[in-house]
Amino acid sequence: MSYIQGETGDWEVVIGLEVHAQVISNAKLFSGSATEFGAAPNSQVSFVDAAFPGMLPVINEYCVEQAVRTGLGLKAEINLHSVFDRKNYFYADLPQGYQISQFLQPIVGKGEIVLDLPDGTSRTVGVTRLHLEQDAGKSLHDQHPSKTYIDLNRSGVALMEIVSEPDMRSSEEAGAYVRKLRSILRYLGTCDGNMEEGSMRCDVNVSVRKPGDAFGTRCEIKNVNSIRFVMQAIEYEARRQIEIIEEGGKIDQETRLWDTTKFVTRSMRSKEEAHDYRYFPDPDLLPLELDAAWVEDIKKTLPELPDDKKARFIEDYKLSVYDAGVLVSEKSKADYFEAVAKGRDPKLASNWVTGELFGYLNKAGKEIEESPVSAGNLGGLIDLIADNTISGRIAKEVFETMFETGEKAADIVEKKGLRQVTDTSAIEGSIDAVMAANADKVAEFRGGKDKLFGFFVGQVMKATQGKANPAMVNEILMKKLKG
C-alpha cells in the first residue's frame, strides 16, 4: 500500500477520476453540425447549438452506439432504458443556459478497468457509470485586452463522462488508469484520446485519510489535460490537504484548478452539489430505449482489446508480461509488432521493436505512426540476422541508417559492404594473423589465463571490421588457441 509520510504519521490518498472523452463522430450529439478540430471559430454551429428559440434536439444514433461500444469495452452494464436531463447553470459559452446530460439514469452502469502497474502487478478499478452529455463552447480570454471571445464550435459535441470508483491510492495508479482507459477507447475507435486537443480531459477528486479511517472531504481539480499534470496535481493536492489537517484546519469541499506554470492547485469555487444544478428530465427528449438485440450486435463487432491481446501475446508469442504490456499499450504498436513478428522469431521481433525502434522514436519525439522504418523493413533487417547475412552488432549500425534514410536493410548492407564473413578460410586467416601478432598472449592463455579469450575475439572482430560471424569466430578461435 502506498502511503504519504506526514508530521503525524502515515496518510492514505483516495482518488477518483471523472474523464470526459469526446465521442468520435462526424456530427454533434443533438445536431448535424461538424465536429472537426481546428476549424475557424463559430464555423461549425447550427441553430440548435446556438440555442435559437424553438430549435429542438434530435439524438445522433451513432453517438449512442459509440457509448454502448465503450460500455461493452469496459465490461459494464448497458442500461436499455436511460434518460437525458437538463443540468442548469449559467455561463457565457453555454447558450442554452443548461447542459443536456444524464443524471439518475445513465446509459452505462458499473464496469471495471484492470491497471497494469510499473512493478508488474495488476489492480482492478471500478467504473461507476458512463453517461452521454453535450460539451459547452469555449471562452477565449487571451484574444483581447478587455473582452472574452466565445467560440461555439465545441458547443453540442458529444462527450462520454466516465466516472471511476474512488479505488485509486496513488498518483501512479491514477496515471495508469488514464493511460489504460485511453488505450481501450482508442482500440474501440470511440475517442482519439488526444489530450492536447482537449478531446480527453480529467476532473480529479482527491481526499486524504489516516489508514483505515472513513473517507475525508474531497476536492475536485477540474479540466486537467495531460497524464503528467494529473499525477502532479494529485501529489500536490494530497500534500496540501495533509498540511492543513495536521495544522488543525479542515478541508473545504471545493473545485480547484491546476496551475501548470506554478505547479500548485488554486481555489476556483465552492463545490456544487447535484441540487445546485436543479436536474430534471429534458422535456424535449424521450427516454432512450435500446433494443437488447442491437446491443448484442454491437458486442459482436468489438475488436480484441488490450487485456485479451496481452494474454494472447504471452501465450502465442511467449513474450514476458512486461514486453506484452508495452506492445499492447497502443493498438498501433501492437499492429506494428505483429507485422514484424509474422513468420519470424517473435522474441527477436519484440526485442527490436521495444528496444531499438522505441528508443529511436523516443529520442526523435515521434509516434510509431511516424516511424521512418516500416514494419516490413524492420522485418527485412531481422531476416538478414537470421540467415547470417549480418551480425547483431552490424544490424544496429544498419538500423541507424534505416531510421535516418528510410532505406531497406538489404540495400544498405550491399551499398556499405557490410555482408557478414562466413567463409571459414577467411576467418581462419584473420585468426592466424591475430595469434601471430600476439604470441605472448597466446602463451598466457594456454598457461591458464582463460579471460584472454575475450581479447582475442575483439581483435579478430576488429581485423574483420565486425563482419566475421561471431559464432564461427568463437568456435574456430577456441580450437586454434587450445592447439
Side-chain angles (χ1 to χ4, degrees), residues 304 306-319 324 328 334-335 338:
E304 183 182 41
D307 290 341
D308 297 327
K309 198 179 283 287
K310 181 179 174 183
R312 179 169 65 81
F313 279 16
I314 293 167
E315 175 68 28
D316 293 359
Y317 295 127
K318 304 294 183 274
L319 299 185
V328 306
D335 290 346
E338 291 217 86

Side-chain angles (χ1 to χ4, degrees), residues 169-202:
R169 296 291 178 268
S170 70
S171 59
E172 286 79 14
E173 287 184 8
Y177 174 90
V178 179
R179 271 190 288 271
K180 187 61 171 285
L181 175 58
R182 183 174 65 178
S183 174
I184 291 168
L185 297 175
R186 285 175 170 172
Y187 268 76
L188 291 165
T190 56
C191 172
D192 65 21
N194 192 329
M195 297 182 88
E196 297 76 29
E197 292 181 1
S199 57
M200 191 167 158
R201 318 189 284 277
C202 294

Side-chain angles (χ1 to χ4, degrees), residues 350-364:
S350 169
N351 289 346
W352 274 92
V353 173
T354 59
E356 296 298 308
L357 179 70
F358 287 178
Y360 273 81
L361 289 173
N362 285 342
K363 211 181 288 180

Side-chain angles (χ1 to χ4, degrees), residues 200-465:
M200 191 167 158
R201 318 189 284 277
C202 294
D203 296 343
V204 185
N205 291 281
V206 180
S207 67
V208 296
R209 64 178 179 181
K210 285 288 187 182
D213 284 1
F215 287 154
T217 302
R218 66 189 169 89
C219 292
E220 181 180 36
I221 307 156
K222 291 291 283 185
N223 285 333
V224 186
N225 67 351
S226 87
I227 294 170
R228 186 163 50 92
F229 291 158
V230 165
M231 295 172 71
Q232 289 172 346
I234 290 167
E235 294 282 346
Y236 174 85
E237 182 59 22
R239 293 263 174 212
R240 185 190 74 85
Q241 292 183 21
I242 290 167
E243 280 177 26
I244 289 171
I245 297 168
E246 290 189 328
E247 288 168 8
K250 74 179 189 62
I251 303 301
D252 295 322
Q253 184 169 331
E254 62 179 346
T255 300
R256 299 178 71 84
L257 285 176
W258 174 244
D259 187 321
T260 57
T261 52
K262 295 179 179 168
F263 302 107
V264 298
T265 61
R266 289 189 286 108
S267 184
M268 184 181 172
R269 58 176 182 260
S270 62
K271 174 66 182 161
E272 297 86 353
E273 300 289 353
H275 62 256
D276 293 319
Y277 290 116
R278 305 187 327 278
Y279 281 98
F280 62 86
D282 192 306
D284 291 335
L285 290 161
L286 290 166
L288 193 58
E289 302 285 352
L290 305 182
D291 182 45
W294 182 70
V295 173
E296 203 52 43
D297 286 344
I298 295 171
K299 194 173 187 176
K300 288 173 188 165
T301 68
L302 291 187
E304 183 182 41
L305 293 172
D307 290 341
D308 297 327
K309 198 179 283 287
K310 181 179 174 183
R312 179 169 65 81
F313 279 16
I314 293 167
E315 175 68 28
D316 293 359
Y317 295 127
K318 304 294 183 274
L319 299 185
S320 68
V321 172
Y322 176 80
D323 284 351
V326 169
L327 289 168
V328 306
S329 63
E330 297 290 346
K331 186 174 183 299
S332 50
K333 290 179 180 177
D335 290 346
Y336 187 103
F337 162 73
E338 291 217 86
V340 175
K342 192 172 184 182
R344 301 184 178 96
D345 176 355
K347 188 62 190 161
L348 191 57
S350 169
N351 289 346
W352 274 92
V353 173
T354 59
E356 296 298 308
L357 179 70
F358 287 178
Y360 273 81
L361 289 173
N362 285 342
K363 211 181 288 180
K366 291 178 183 287
E367 296 296 325
I368 197 158
E369 294 87 348
E370 307 165 280
S371 172
V373 180
S374 69
N377 283 359
L378 181 54
L381 177 67
I382 291 170
D383 290 340
L384 295 180
I385 302 169
D387 68 11
N388 284 325
T389 300
I390 55 174
S391 65
R393 194 184 74 75
I394 293 287
K396 293 192 175 190
E397 188 184 317
V398 172
F399 183 83
E400 186 176 356
T401 306
M402 289 171 73
F403 197 88
E404 286 168 7
T405 66
E407 287 179 86
K408 289 182 178 177
D411 295 344
I412 296 165
V413 168
E414 289 307 319
K415 196 189 300 178
K416 293 191 173 182
L418 298 173
R419 190 175 284 275
Q420 187 168 238
V421 177
T422 53
D423 174 3
T424 311
S425 59
I427 293 173
E428 281 185 354
S430 297
I431 289 173
D432 290 342
V434 167
M435 287 175 66
N438 296 278
D440 54 337
K441 288 195 167 55
V442 172
E444 285 179 48
F445 179 86
R446 287 173 176 163
K449 212 168 179 183
D450 292 350
K451 285 182 181 173
L452 280 171
F453 186 73
F455 163 79
F456 285 108
V457 171
Q459 292 300 305
V460 174
M461 295 310 284
K462 189 175 174 186
T464 60
Q465 297 175 305

Side-chain angles (χ1 to χ4, degrees), residues 46-77:
S46 73
F47 290 148
V48 174
D49 309 325
F52 273 47
M55 294 296 105
L56 294 173
V58 177
I59 190 80
N60 178 342
E61 182 183 342
Y62 185 67
C63 291
V64 175
E65 185 183 323
Q66 291 283 65
V68 170
R69 183 174 284 112
T70 303
L72 293 168
L74 298 174
K75 301 183 176 65
E77 305 159 4

Side-chain angles (χ1 to χ4, degrees), residues 8-178:
T8 59
D10 288 340
W11 290 84
E12 184 177 50
V13 59
V14 176
I15 304 152
L17 296 178
E18 299 165 22
V19 175
H20 296 85
Q22 183 177 319
V23 176
I24 290 177
S25 167
N26 292 329
K28 296 182 181 180
L29 185 54
F30 297 111
S31 82
S33 299
T35 57
E36 194 178 336
F37 180 79
N42 298 307
S43 62
Q44 298 181 159
V45 186
S46 73
F47 290 148
V48 174
D49 309 325
F52 273 47
M55 294 296 105
L56 294 173
V58 177
I59 190 80
N60 178 342
E61 182 183 342
Y62 185 67
C63 291
V64 175
E65 185 183 323
Q66 291 283 65
V68 170
R69 183 174 284 112
T70 303
L72 293 168
L74 298 174
K75 301 183 176 65
E77 305 159 4
I78 306 300
N79 296 322
L80 300 180
H81 173 91
S82 63
V83 174
F84 284 101
D85 300 281
R86 289 188 182 180
K87 180 181 182 181
N88 297 276
Y89 66 94
F90 171 78
Y91 206 72
D93 57 23
L94 189 72
Q96 293 158 304
Y98 61 84
Q99 178 192 34
I100 301 176
S101 183
Q102 294 185 305
F103 180 44
L104 293 175
Q105 294 173 280
I107 189 167
V108 174
K110 289 190 179 299
E112 63 179 39
I113 292 178
V114 178
L115 308 188
D116 304 308
L117 300 172
D119 63 2
T121 60
S122 294
R123 185 160 169 15
T124 300
V125 171
V127 171
T128 312
R129 56 187 276 149
L130 176 157
H131 64 258
L132 276 170
E133 64 185 23
Q134 53 179 184
D135 205 349
K138 191 173 185 182
S139 299
L140 305 165
H141 305 294
D142 57 358
Q143 306 289 304
H144 190 278
S146 60
K147 295 176 183 176
T148 290
Y149 286 13
I150 302 293
D151 179 7
L152 294 180
N153 278 352
R154 222 165 62 183
S155 175
V157 164
L159 298 178
M160 297 178 287
E161 181 169 335
I162 302 161
V163 183
S164 84
E165 295 286 336
D167 288 347
M168 288 159 275
R169 296 291 178 268
S170 70
S171 59
E172 286 79 14
E173 287 184 8
Y177 174 90
V178 179

